[in-house]
Amino acid sequence: MSPKPPIGFCGLGAMGFGMATHLVKSGYIVTGFDVWTPTLEKFKTAGGVSTPSLSESAKDKAFYVVMVATAQQADSALFGEEGIVQSLPKEATLLLCSTVPSSYAQAVEVRLKDVGRSDIFFIDAPVSGGAIRAADGTLSIMAGGSSAALQKGQWLLEELSAPSKLFIVAGGVGAGSNMKMVHQVLAAIQILAVSEAFGFAARLGLDGSSVREKVVGCEAWSWMFENRSVRTLGEDYFPGASALMIILKDVGIITSMARLVNFPAPLCTIAEQVYLSGVDRGWGPNDDAGMVRLWTSDPVSSIQSTLSATEKEKKLDLVVNLLRTVHLCAAAESIAFAKHVGLPLPQLYELAVDAAGGSTMFKDFGAKMIPILEGEDSGKERIVSFLESIKIVLEEAQGIKCPLYLGSGALNLLLMVRGKGGEVDLGGLLGLYKR
Amino acid sequence: MSPKPPIGFCGLGAMGFGMATHLVKSGYIVTGFDVWTPTLEKFKTAGGVSTPSLSESAKDKAFYVVMVATAQQADSALFGEEGIVQSLPKEATLLLCSTVPSSYAQAVEVRLKDVGRSDIFFIDAPVSGGAIRAADGTLSIMAGGSSAALQKGQWLLEELSAPSKLFIVAGGVGAGSNMKMVHQVLAAIQILAVSEAFGFAARLGLDGSSVREKVVGCEAWSWMFENRSVRTLGEDYFPGASALMIILKDVGIITSMARLVNFPAPLCTIAEQVYLSGVDRGWGPNDDAGMVRLWTSDPVSSIQSTLSATEKEKKLDLVVNLLRTVHLCAAAESIAFAKHVGLPLPQLYELAVDAAGGSTMFKDFGAKMIPILEGEDSGKERIVSFLESIKIVLEEAQGIKCPLYLGSGALNLLLMVRGKGGEVDLGGLLGLYKR
């Protein structure tokens, strides 16, 4: 593209600000809008063009990025009086990067036609990767749209994403949001699993840093655990880096879509109820790692472990078994949902294995789940050891009166899978989701 | 029996005190033991013989009743130094009326042999019905034992129970406890459902008394709702009539046995985790109706409803649909568990339909579930309306950020049942439990 076209940008929050200033640094003239005045000042200081007028931010901008927090916000910014759609020039390219239900992204496409703006090239392009990668222009992006729109917007998607992290998802508008959604299945479950694991560990008398060291170095690893546990150990929740409200919004998109398409999402549903109970306690604006406070009011790093080396190792194994079983079921829930909404499974795998939803279980067992769901494998891989070990975990938790929301949910899934002969296999687990 | 034999009694708590004094009123000489001295004084005032010696309470007593709170307590009272078993006369009849795991009741039978007291006629006889019926001698009793033991103890079981409420459960020692356990599946789920319903209603802006009036008069009725809601409306939780710790203990027996016999008990498991979170808040000694405080710190009777009549009716329907779906799944979980452990289903039905586990859903759909589980009905009865209505409930709850632990659990079960063609039937629901 030459010369560099001006870009309009709506939504300069943690993610949007990073994305917009990255474009500024890359030499684009970016006109940014936000409802929060201080951020407009900050954007100006960072070299952007700030405007308190939404219409001004869109006027004469052949390219426009929307990065607000919710579908509701997007809708009023796009279609409100003096809004973006009204003000965009003919044949502009419009990227919606917010995490929204795919049904909303599809509704935007319809609405553009209804208001006589089918000339706009619309791309459904949710992102993942956090504020730092946003500012570096190395986000993961899951983009869906018409081929014409994707062709027009490709360079801008490339500017914002890392080379191997731009995923064009087949299926048109909505496919990007669906891909983000099934990725967030992993995120939503695995974020709560971090707190559940640390909370359980604390009640077992394990100090937080031993737990982190153990988990990060073994099959219980998840990207979320490695990432969040730093904040858990530092009690860095105020506000931390990722508010509880954000993952609650994402899990709400998942369960809401699950209801719509008749997909059972048992672990996401559990996570949502527990997140809601965190919001009830006033933790919505705090970092999601602060959910560990449901289990312990003491900092997990303050626990003085008095256990012998053998006892300690035994208890760490309980934590490991809790996480690996929850992660196994999370992988099944995510991949089965992807299958249910018709997404290409290998693409989900490629995307998630190396992103915020990644886990060792997803890497190892996700790879085995795909051929089963695609009918290329009979699914006889035995996973009975997960059932046996999570039973012991729940037995111990019951003894110390420790709630394990996800752990008990995962146990019940595996018990439902268990056949008369005692067999528990991967195909059976996936079969709970696909009827 | 003539003349009336002396009876020994251990455990003069809310239930035991009522049972023992009822026997006193019926003309028996009852020697009561408890570790709590004030209750011994009270028992003496009520006409009983009090003793601070466990051994004294058992010496020369041809009949003995144990009504302590837990299996641990029972075990130390029975088999401890100078304990009951050591002190009972030859061929005494021993009733264990506490709610314990059936595996514990069976262990007592084995242990009696091991200590050379196979002469004792042992009956596993948990009770149900609350303190008032205990004092009236009109409890429900679920008794298992050898026919010799049952013959010896029948008159005493009859003294303690209402004429139609003595259930001799086939299967020997353990069968009574198993029957109590599957009854408590209903109790454990339906007790939490009371609070979840009132909490949801409060957040919908409904006043508590309208909710009670609506529910008690319709298909959402349960015995627990009618019973507990009086205390919910009066905030009568301190201590109220039935401590959270008690139902937590019972649900722990259920989930622990479920793990042992590989039975998935998804709603009980959810209830257990939520009860544990109540205990974490310090509510263990409070009435279980106080669980509503998870949803609202205001008294539910203080809500000033500003809704129009139509809005109010619509919202009451949401509460009704929440309860009836949870109760439907509770019925399936209880009856399928009974089948799994080999209990006679018609007896469970007869017992529970008119006891604390009763609900309109159990009455109507429980009756249909039994022939399905017994292979006499193909289970095609459609229950898709439950799925559709609980979806709407969850949609609304999500909108007002109200956690519905049981409601979302029930939704997921029904979504797992749903076939490719959209069919949801009773056989499918039961099929989730029986593999």
Side-chain angles (χ1 to χ4, degrees):
Chain A
M1 303 285 306
S2 61
K4 296 196 167 182
I7 301 170
F9 207 105
C10 172
L12 301 167
M15 294 292 291
F17 189 86
M19 292 161 71
T21 50
H22 169 72
L23 292 171
V24 168
K25 279 184 218 143
S26 305
Y28 296 92
I29 296 170
V30 182
T31 305
F33 168 85
D34 200 285
V35 289
W36 180 239
T37 317
T39 202
L40 288 180
E41 283 305 312
K42 219 175 107 196
F43 186 57
K44 202 168 150 187
T45 312
V49 180
S50 287
T51 173
S53 155
L54 193 54
S55 141
E56 201 59 44
S57 75
K59 206 179 152 196
D60 303 326
K61 311 301 181 301
F63 294 89
Y64 199 96
V65 179
V66 175
M67 189 59 205
V68 294
T70 66
Q72 288 70 25
Q73 290 175 13
D75 205 57
S76 89
L78 287 169
F79 296 105
E81 191 93 22
E82 307 264 307
I84 295 163
V85 169
Q86 227 172 61
S87 312
L88 282 177
K90 196 101 184 113
E91 302 196 337
T93 301
L94 172 65
L95 273 59
L96 177 57
C97 293
S98 309
T99 297
V100 299
S102 60
S103 55
Y104 177 70
Q106 288 160 346
V108 168
E109 196 176 34
V110 172
R111 188 97 179 265
L112 286 171
K113 280 201 190 93
D114 290 349
V115 299
R117 290 307 308 265
S118 51
D119 62 294
I120 292 177
F121 294 98
F122 177 60
I123 305 177
D124 161 43
V127 306
S128 176
I132 294 168
R133 283 173 53 194
D136 286 347
T138 57
L139 287 167
S140 298
I141 303 189
M142 294 137 269
S146 66
S147 32
L150 288 167
Q151 208 174 333
K152 284 276 245 174
Q154 175 104 15
W155 68 270
L156 183 49
L157 294 165
E158 282 168 3
E159 285 285 3
L160 296 166
S161 61
S164 62
K165 304 280 189 187
L166 174 58
F167 297 90
I168 304 294
V169 188
V173 165
S177 286
N178 272 339
M179 188 61 96
K180 172 80 197 251
M181 176 181 74
V182 299
H183 175 271
Q184 291 308 89
V185 167
L186 298 165
I189 298 168
Q190 286 161 196
I191 284 173
L192 183 60
V194 178
S195 285
E196 187 162 301
F198 272 113
F200 179 43
R203 294 201 184 180
L204 287 168
L206 293 166
D207 66 287
S209 52
S210 302
V211 174
R212 183 176 200 273
E213 198 182 326
K214 174 80 182 184
V215 169
V216 167
C218 81
E219 59 178 351
W221 176 86
S222 72
W223 188 96
M224 284 296 177
F225 190 94
E226 185 165 357
N227 178 269
R228 295 311 200 258
S229 55
V230 177
R231 305 207 280 276
T232 313
L233 291 177
E235 289 200 285
D236 177 14
Y237 313 142
F238 315 103
S242 193
L244 175 56
M245 289 307 291
I246 300 294
I247 193 63
L248 175 63
K249 177 189 68 94
D250 287 3
V251 79
I253 290 173
I254 294 163
T255 59
S256 173
M257 183 63 74
R259 285 194 297 272
L260 194 67
V261 300
N262 289 303
F263 180 79
L267 291 192
C268 281
T269 306
I270 290 171
E272 183 180 26
Q273 313 312 309
V274 181
Y275 289 141
L276 284 170
S277 77
V279 170
D280 280 348
R281 293 195 176 203
W283 301 343
N286 304 163
D287 196 278
D288 53 42
M291 285 297 292
V292 72
R293 291 171 291 170
L294 277 183
W295 284 268
T296 173
S297 49
D298 294 330
V300 300
S301 55
S302 75
I303 293 159
Q304 300 293 325
S305 185
T306 54
L307 304 165
S308 73
T310 321
E311 283 174 328
K312 188 172 166 179
E313 207 45 49
K314 221 174 132 186
K315 294 192 176 195
L316 283 170
D317 281 343
L318 293 172
V319 177
V320 165
N321 283 329
L322 169 64
L323 284 170
R324 68 180 199 119
T325 309
V326 169
H327 294 170
L328 174 77
C329 295
E333 196 155 312
S334 168
I335 298 175
F337 203 0
K339 171 77 180 170
H340 193 84
V341 296
L343 291 169
L345 306 186
Q347 194 178 33
L348 164 63
Y349 184 79
E350 186 194 348
L351 183 165
V353 78
D354 199 21
S359 73
T360 307
M361 287 297 113
F362 183 86
K363 182 164 185 279
D364 294 352
F365 285 88
K368 295 172 179 175
M369 290 175 188
I370 293 173
I372 298 170
L373 285 172
E374 290 181 340
E376 295 156 7
D377 184 294
S378 62
K380 294 295 173 213
E381 165 108 10
R382 287 164 58 85
I383 50 171
V384 70
S385 75
F386 288 89
L387 173 58
E388 294 312 321
S389 68
I390 194 75
K391 275 188 199 170
I392 296 166
V393 169
L394 266 294
E395 192 75 29
E396 292 287 330
Q398 195 171 49
I400 58 172
K401 298 205 185 313
C402 177
L404 294 182
Y405 305 97
L406 293 171
S408 60
L411 167 65
N412 275 321
L413 291 179
L414 294 177
L415 282 173
M416 283 195 245
V417 172
R418 188 177 181 279
K420 269 199 197 315
E423 70 282 9
V424 186
D425 61 37
L426 262 191
L429 178 57
L430 293 164
L432 287 182
Y433 295 95
K434 110 189 131 101
R435 300 280 294 191
Chain B
M1 304 285 306
S2 60
K4 296 195 165 182
I7 301 171
F9 207 105
C10 172
L12 301 167
M15 294 292 289
F17 189 86
M19 292 161 72
T21 50
H22 169 73
L23 292 171
V24 169
K25 279 184 218 144
S26 306
Y28 296 92
I29 296 169
V30 182
T31 305
F33 168 85
D34 200 283
V35 289
W36 179 239
T37 318
T39 201
L40 289 179
E41 284 304 313
K42 218 175 107 197
F43 186 57
K44 203 169 152 188
T45 311
V49 179
S50 288
T51 174
S53 154
L54 193 53
S55 142
E56 202 57 45
S57 76
K59 203 177 156 199
D60 303 326
K61 309 301 181 302
F63 294 89
Y64 200 96
V65 179
V66 175
M67 188 60 208
V68 295
T70 66
Q72 288 70 26
Q73 290 175 13
D75 206 57
S76 88
L78 288 170
F79 296 105
E81 190 94 24
E82 308 265 307
I84 296 163
V85 168
Q86 228 171 61
S87 311
L88 281 178
K90 195 102 182 110
E91 300 196 339
T93 301
L94 172 64
L95 271 59
L96 176 56
C97 293
S98 309
T99 297
V100 299
S102 60
S103 55
Y104 176 70
Q106 289 161 346
V108 169
E109 197 176 32
V110 171
R111 189 98 178 266
L112 286 171
K113 280 200 191 92
D114 291 350
V115 299
R117 291 305 309 264
S118 50
D119 61 294
I120 290 177
F121 293 97
F122 177 60
I123 305 177
D124 160 41
V127 306
S128 177
I132 294 168
R133 282 173 55 193
D136 285 347
T138 58
L139 287 167
S140 299
I141 304 188
M142 293 137 269
S146 67
S147 32
L150 288 167
Q151 208 172 334
K152 284 275 243 174
Q154 176 102 14
W155 69 270
L156 182 49
L157 294 165
E158 281 169 4
E159 284 286 3
L160 296 166
S161 61
S164 61
K165 304 281 189 185
L166 174 57
F167 297 89
I168 304 294
V169 188
V173 165
S177 286
N178 272 338
M179 188 60 95
K180 172 81 197 249
M181 175 182 74
V182 299
H183 175 272
Q184 291 308 89
V185 168
L186 298 165
I189 298 168
Q190 287 163 195
I191 284 172
L192 183 60
V194 177
S195 285
E196 187 162 301
F198 271 113
F200 180 42
R203 294 201 183 181
L204 287 168
L206 292 166
D207 66 287
S209 52
S210 302
V211 174
R212 183 175 200 272
E213 198 183 326
K214 174 79 181 183
V215 169
V216 167
C218 80
E219 60 178 349
W221 176 86
S222 72
W223 188 96
M224 284 297 178
F225 190 95
E226 185 165 357
N227 178 268
R228 296 312 201 255
S229 55
V230 177
R231 305 206 282 276
T232 314
L233 291 177
E235 291 200 283
D236 178 16
Y237 313 141
F238 315 102
S242 193
L244 175 55
M245 288 307 291
I246 300 294
I247 193 63
L248 176 63
K249 176 188 69 94
D250 287 4
V251 79
I253 290 173
I254 295 164
T255 60
S256 172
M257 182 64 73
R259 286 193 298 272
L260 195 67
V261 300
N262 290 302
F263 179 78
L267 291 193
C268 281
T269 307
I270 289 171
E272 183 179 28
Q273 312 313 307
V274 180
Y275 289 141
L276 284 170
S277 76
V279 170
D280 281 349
R281 295 198 176 198
W283 302 342
N286 304 164
D287 196 277
D288 55 41
M291 284 297 292
V292 72
R293 290 172 291 171
L294 277 183
W295 285 269
T296 173
S297 49
D298 294 329
V300 300
S301 54
S302 75
I303 292 159
Q304 299 294 323
S305 184
T306 55
L307 303 165
S308 72
T310 323
E311 283 174 329
K312 187 171 165 179
E313 207 46 47
K314 221 173 132 186
K315 295 192 175 193
L316 284 170
D317 281 344
L318 294 172
V319 178
V320 165
N321 283 330
L322 169 63
L323 284 170
R324 66 179 201 122
T325 309
V326 169
H327 294 170
L328 174 77
C329 295
E333 195 154 314
S334 166
I335 298 175
F337 202 2
K339 171 78 180 171
H340 193 85
V341 295
L343 291 171
L345 305 187
Q347 193 177 35
L348 164 62
Y349 184 80
E350 187 193 346
L351 183 165
V353 77
D354 200 22
S359 73
T360 307
M361 286 297 113
F362 183 85
K363 182 166 185 278
D364 294 351
F365 285 88
K368 295 172 178 174
M369 290 175 188
I370 293 172
I372 298 171
L373 285 172
E374 291 182 339
E376 294 156 9
D377 184 294
S378 62
K380 293 298 171 211
E381 165 108 10
R382 288 164 58 85
I383 50 170
V384 70
S385 75
F386 287 89
L387 172 58
E388 293 312 319
S389 68
I390 195 76
K391 276 187 197 169
I392 296 166
V393 169
L394 266 294
E395 191 76 29
E396 292 286 330
Q398 195 171 49
I400 59 172
K401 299 204 186 312
C402 177
L404 293 182
Y405 305 97
L406 293 171
S408 60
L411 167 65
N412 276 321
L413 291 178
L414 295 177
L415 282 173
M416 283 195 242
V417 172
R418 188 178 181 279
K420 269 198 197 313
E423 70 282 7
V424 186
D425 60 37
L426 263 191
L429 178 57
L430 293 164
L432 288 181
Y433 295 95
K434 108 188 134 102
R435 300 280 294 192

